[in-house]
């Protein structure tokens, strides 16, 4: 028999076999159909709403500003995050439990992309907070500070930070041997992967907690710093025009961040509740679908530029008819 210590991490993880059984939803009667329809409608809403906003920003040169160039990354990330998860869950709802299988490599890829995209949501919102800070606190130097080079730097930092944290998370998981083949939950995650091992997973739990604290802690610190500075500037200047601008530009960003944070906290809190197994799965799905569907609506309704472009398109279409 081959010694596990003499083979690489990938072979260790694959020692039981390449196929995994995915637990998925265990719903009875017509509830599977209800869940399928609800999740499908929300997913379509995510694709249409985020895709429309991204298309508007791409087509309207007036929207090629730092704020929208940063925000469009959030819309594309929402599409990626939900596309990594939702189609597979929808297909599993149509299959009997015994036919819900996934290849190990596909499971690892899904888990990595899911965590990477989820972390990118926070890091992108952090770069958007910096943009709002410069716009309110240094309006005369805004165009100088938020140059094309700065946008590229913020983009690299946002996605690089998410990639680094996801790599730390999965680096230790891929070192584990595997003795189980059942994925608990609806899709693959880092936790479901290291639970396939019979080894001591204390290090993986500590790393998971460390990454979570670093991600949440860094985002909260950036939000507190930027919004406290914005509040101080508004109070000192006592300008109704400045206060109105700050309220319009910052309220949408803060609302999107709080929605993301609240959905994460609710799911984490429900994991500590005994029972409610299927309910936890539903909330785990809604955690990404609901913010992904609401974010473009929140920004679209608040943005005069987006509304102006949509109205101009509607007006030109009516004129041609």
């Amino acid at each position: 028999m081959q010694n596990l210590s003499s083979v690489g991490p990938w072979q260790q993880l694959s020692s039981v076999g390449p196929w995994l059984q995915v637990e998925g939803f265990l719903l009875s009667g017509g509830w599977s159909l209800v869940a399928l329809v609800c999740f499908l409608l929300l997913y379509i809403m995510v694709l249409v709403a985020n895709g429309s906003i991204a298309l508007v920003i791409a087509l309207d040169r007036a929207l090629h500003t730092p704020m929208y160039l940063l925000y469009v990354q959030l819309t594309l990330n929402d599409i990626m995050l939900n596309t990594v998860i939702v189609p597979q869950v929808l297909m599993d709802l149509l299959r009997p439990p015994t036919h819900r299988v996934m290849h190990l490599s596909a499971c690892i890829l899904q888990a990595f992309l899911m965590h990477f995209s989820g972390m990118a949501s926070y890091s992108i919102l952090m770069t958007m907070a910096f943009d709002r800070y410069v716009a309110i606190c240094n309006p005369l130097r805004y165009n100088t500070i938020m140059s094309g080079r700065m946008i590229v730097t913020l983009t690299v930092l946002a996605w690089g930070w998410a990639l680094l944290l996801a790599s730390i998370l999965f680096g230790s998981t891929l070192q584990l041997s595997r003795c189980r083949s059942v994925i608990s939950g609806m899709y693959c995650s880092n936790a479901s992967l290291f639970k396939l091992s019979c080894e001591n997973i204390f290090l993986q739990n500590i790393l998971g907690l460390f990454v979570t604290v670093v991600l949440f802690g860094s985002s909260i610190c950036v939000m507190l710093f930027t919004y406290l500075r914005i509040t101080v500037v508004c109070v000192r200047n006592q300008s109704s025009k400045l206060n109105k601008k700050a309220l319009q530009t910052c309220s949408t960003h803060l609302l999107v961040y709080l929605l993301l944070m609240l959905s994460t906290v609710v799911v984490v809190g429900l994991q500590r509740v005994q029972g409610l197994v299927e309910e936890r799965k539903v909330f785990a799905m809604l955690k990404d679908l609901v913010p992904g569907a609401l974010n473009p609506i929140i920004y679209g309704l608040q943005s005069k530029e987006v509304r102006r472009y949509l109205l101009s398109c509607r007006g030109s279409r009516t004129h041609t008819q």
Side-chain angles (χ1 to χ4, degrees):
M1 180 180 293
Q2 188 179 18
N3 190 349
L4 286 177
S5 61
S6 65
V7 299
W10 183 268
Q11 288 82 3
Q12 289 185 30
L13 194 62
S14 307
S15 59
V16 175
W19 293 99
L20 302 174
Q21 181 82 37
V22 181
E23 180 184 54
F25 281 100
L26 302 175
L27 302 173
S28 58
W31 287 110
S32 292
L33 181 60
V34 172
L36 175 68
V37 172
C38 291
F39 292 146
L40 178 60
L41 290 177
L42 279 173
Y43 180 57
I44 292 173
M45 187 175 176
V46 169
L47 296 180
V48 173
N50 286 282
S52 298
I53 294 293
L55 186 62
V56 168
I57 294 174
L59 295 178
D60 190 355
R61 295 186 64 85
L63 296 177
H64 293 180
T65 61
M67 181 178 73
Y68 288 106
L69 291 177
L70 293 174
Y71 171 64
V72 74
Q73 297 177 46
L74 188 64
T75 66
L76 297 176
N77 186 62
D78 282 337
I79 292 175
M80 179 176 73
L81 175 59
N82 285 283
T83 300
V84 166
I85 296 172
V86 178
Q88 176 247 315
V89 174
L90 295 180
M91 290 299 295
D92 282 347
L93 281 169
L94 296 173
R95 301 184 181 118
T98 54
H99 289 71
R100 298 170 183 174
V101 294
M102 179 181 289
H103 197 276
L104 176 63
S105 58
C107 182
I108 294 173
L109 179 62
Q110 182 189 54
F112 183 83
L113 290 177
M114 188 266 291
H115 285 283
F116 168 65
S117 185
M119 293 170 181
S121 298
Y122 286 93
S123 57
I124 293 170
L125 285 169
M126 289 161 64
T127 63
M128 294 171 67
F130 176 76
D131 171 74
R132 293 300 83 206
Y133 162 73
V134 176
I136 302 300
C137 300
N138 295 282
L140 298 180
R141 299 182 57 215
Y142 179 75
N143 291 329
T144 303
I145 297 174
M146 298 302 295
S147 60
R149 179 175 294 182
M150 178 59 77
I151 297 300
V152 172
T153 301
L154 291 174
T155 299
V156 171
L157 286 175
W159 293 95
W161 181 239
L163 181 61
L164 174 63
L165 292 179
S167 299
I168 292 173
L169 202 62
F170 279 81
S172 63
T173 299
L174 295 179
Q175 300 298 318
L176 296 171
S177 60
R178 184 166 62 88
C179 63
R180 303 183 183 96
S181 299
V182 178
I183 293 291
S184 58
M186 305 83 62
Y187 48 80
C188 297
S189 65
N190 182 61
S192 63
L193 280 174
F194 67 63
K195 287 178 181 178
L196 296 178
S197 175
C198 294
E199 296 182 29
N200 189 336
I201 57 173
F202 177 76
L203 175 62
Q204 284 68 34
N205 282 313
I206 292 298
L207 278 176
L209 180 62
F210 169 76
V211 169
T212 302
V213 170
V214 169
L215 179 66
F216 283 7
S218 60
S219 68
I220 291 172
C221 286
V222 169
M223 295 297 167
L224 285 176
F225 173 78
T226 54
Y227 279 100
L228 284 176
R229 290 288 298 167
I230 290 172
T231 302
V232 169
V233 168
C234 292
V235 170
R236 285 180 177 175
N237 289 343
Q238 295 183 346
S239 168
S240 59
K241 183 178 180 180
L242 179 65
N243 292 342
K244 183 179 179 181
K245 178 184 177 182
L247 181 63
Q248 288 178 339
T249 59
C250 296
S251 59
T252 50
H253 174 262
L254 189 58
L255 182 58
V256 168
Y257 176 75
L258 291 176
L259 180 63
L260 178 64
M261 182 68 77
L262 178 63
S263 61
T264 304
V265 169
V266 168
V267 171
V268 173
L270 284 175
Q271 291 176 351
R272 304 293 185 270
V273 179
Q274 296 295 329
L276 303 177
V277 176
E278 298 305 308
E279 289 81 358
R280 287 204 301 267
K281 294 177 184 178
V282 171
F283 276 99
M285 289 293 296
L286 296 179
K287 175 181 74 70
D288 299 315
L289 279 169
V290 172
L294 293 182
N295 289 349
I297 296 175
I298 294 171
Y299 265 90
L301 291 177
Q302 280 287 87
S303 172
K304 293 180 180 180
E305 293 83 359
V306 172
R307 293 202 305 269
R308 174 187 55 77
Y309 182 85
L310 293 176
L311 289 174
S312 66
C313 290
R314 181 180 178 183
S316 60
R317 187 180 303 168
T318 304
H319 180 72
T320 56
Q321 291 177 349

